[in-house]
Amino acid sequence: MDNIDRRILKLLQENARISLKTIAESTFLSSPAVSARIEKMEKDEVISGYHAQVNPVKLGYHIIAFINLNVVPEDKPKFYDYAEHIPNVLECCCVTGEYSMLMKVAFQSTMELDNFIGQLQKFGKTNTQIVFSTHVGPRGMGVEEQES
């Protein structure tokens, strides 16, 4: 991956709907050359998808929380299947430390969150932090150009 690919990634992370023409102008390439580079990065799984960033509050999800959960290894497959089918689970990561899972969730009320935590406790001990505010939100990976 060279600096032109990094520039393309930076532009796509800033706006996934940017036109090929605009990327081409910014990288001094033709549109077909930009398209070929993007297709290669998709094939190589450098680019794993394109997503709209949605404001959960505008959809009525006023409660964002992080839940730590301690799942024993033999229960992980059952837990993963459960978590994948709950649309309120925005992210679920297997982590090191006192707890084995870290989940980011969104709910419309604390009552719904409380009910969900009750359901989770069949898998293990939980610890929950409710988000008051977010000063640095989701953002793309740093792909700054490297010096040759």
Side-chain angles (χ1 to χ4, degrees):
M1 194 161 81
D2 62 15
N3 283 336
I4 294 173
D5 289 335
R6 291 178 184 282
R7 176 78 179 139
I8 292 169
L9 286 176
K10 185 173 188 220
L11 292 166
L12 286 171
Q13 287 184 111
E14 290 170 359
N15 177 7
R17 295 184 65 180
I18 191 170
S19 70
L20 288 176
K21 181 182 177 196
T22 302
I23 296 172
E25 290 169 354
S26 178
T27 57
F28 305 104
L29 295 175
S30 67
S31 292
V34 169
S35 181
R37 283 175 175 261
I38 291 172
E39 285 177 24
K40 182 175 183 335
M41 288 188 280
E42 290 169 346
K43 180 179 168 275
D44 293 343
E45 298 180 349
V46 173
I47 297 174
S48 59
Y50 300 89
H51 312 277
Q53 190 169 323
V54 177
N55 181 341
V57 173
K58 297 290 185 183
L59 297 176
Y61 293 87
H62 298 276
I63 309 298
I64 305 296
F66 289 92
I67 303 172
N68 290 291
L69 173 65
N70 197 7
V71 179
V72 294
E74 54 269 14
D75 289 345
K76 283 183 180 179
K78 185 177 168 184
F79 167 73
Y80 289 145
D81 184 59
Y82 172 78
E84 285 177 13
H85 290 91
I86 305 296
N88 302 79
V89 176
L90 305 178
E91 291 183 56
C92 180
C93 305
C94 185
V95 297
T96 62
E98 182 180 348
Y99 295 90
S100 56
M101 298 292 157
L102 176 63
M103 289 179 283
K104 182 178 182 181
V105 298
F107 287 92
Q108 294 183 337
S109 71
T110 55
M111 290 183 300
E112 290 176 347
L113 173 61
D114 184 46
N115 184 46
F116 177 69
I117 292 168
Q119 293 172 20
L120 279 181
Q121 289 174 340
K122 68 184 172 190
F123 293 103
K125 177 183 165 190
T126 63
N127 182 295
T128 303
Q129 297 85 38
I130 294 176
V131 175
F132 286 143
S133 62
T134 301
H135 298 284
V136 178
R139 58 182 174 191
M141 294 295 304
V143 290
E144 301 305 318
E145 294 180 17
Q146 298 177 345
E147 303 220 6
S148 329

